[in-house]
Amino acid sequence: MTIRINSQTLSDYDAQLAYKTATAYLRQSDLANYLIDQLEQQHVKLSVEVCTDPALANQTLSNNGTIVWNLLSSVSPSPDLPHVAALLSRIPASQKPYITSQWALMHALALACQQLNNQLNFRDADATWPWLDEKVLSADDIENAVARELSDLPLPSEQNWNRVLKPA
């Protein structure tokens, strides 16, 4: 899969930086790392539109192969999932918007995996996640498993994209 990162509100460099920073944190989860790799290896195009428009924060706008990820998202898109809620509840107030924004990207990527699973082969005989071989791949299951894997790991020490949000 070709994952193209673009933005109408940020430079290409800053959009790439934000995406790579967020996925570096998420990839600490073996499952997130595996699924992001799977998305990148498929012969399908996926576009991630990195957005900084405050009016679009906390809205789900992804559609037709485009994920819209707003760096200003501050509300978890999956607050009812127990492991996600536990992960986000341990985050200090100063880092909550930063990590919640990264979780919004994880949510969008999990939905992409769920939606594409019928056409793509996410099943892996050697996978350490037995539910990955189920007929229906659930974004909720993915998010809960990733949150469980990240819950014992340290949070990012810096908020790397703060500078891209500051006006020039």
Side-chain angles (χ1 to χ4, degrees):
M1 171 176 274
T2 304
I3 296 181
R4 194 179 93 219
I5 311 302
N6 54 37
S7 179
Q8 294 179 15
T9 56
L10 296 172
S11 70
D12 287 346
Y13 175 83
D14 287 341
Q16 287 281 343
L17 174 68
Y19 178 80
K20 288 181 181 196
T21 298
T23 56
Y25 170 65
L26 298 172
R27 282 177 179 269
Q28 292 181 77
S29 156
D30 290 338
L31 178 59
N33 186 53
Y34 171 78
L35 291 173
I36 292 168
D37 282 348
Q38 287 296 305
L39 286 173
E40 290 174 348
Q41 292 171 16
Q42 302 303 321
H43 297 291
V44 176
K45 291 183 182 177
L46 179 66
S47 179
V48 176
E49 173 70 27
V50 182
C51 176
T52 59
D53 185 344
L56 301 177
N58 305 315
Q59 294 184 22
T60 302
L61 302 170
S62 302
N63 194 6
N64 295 326
T66 298
I67 292 173
V68 178
W69 172 45
N70 195 317
L71 297 182
L72 301 177
S73 295
S74 60
V75 176
S76 171
S78 43
D80 298 333
L81 300 176
H83 293 290
V84 174
L87 173 70
L88 295 178
S89 71
R90 77 175 184 97
I91 298 169
S94 63
Q95 280 191 294
K96 197 168 244 11
Y98 181 66
I99 301 298
T100 302
S101 174
Q102 291 186 21
W103 198 261
L105 177 61
M106 180 67 242
H107 175 77
L109 292 172
L111 286 174
C113 289
Q114 176 182 312
Q115 292 171 357
L116 294 171
N117 190 53
N118 291 337
Q119 296 95 16
L120 306 177
N121 183 15
F122 285 130
R123 289 160 177 79
D124 184 346
D126 298 326
T128 57
W129 311 277
W131 53 265
L132 210 55
D133 284 329
E134 294 175 1
K135 185 172 181 89
V136 177
L137 184 63
S138 162
D140 287 351
D141 289 342
I142 291 170
E143 288 184 74
N144 256 332
V146 170
R148 188 172 46 252
E149 290 180 349
L150 291 176
S151 66
D152 294 331
L153 299 174
L155 296 170
S157 59
E158 296 180 16
Q159 296 187 27
N160 293 339
W161 62 69
N162 276 354
R163 71 169 186 80
V164 305
L165 297 174
K166 293 179 182 162

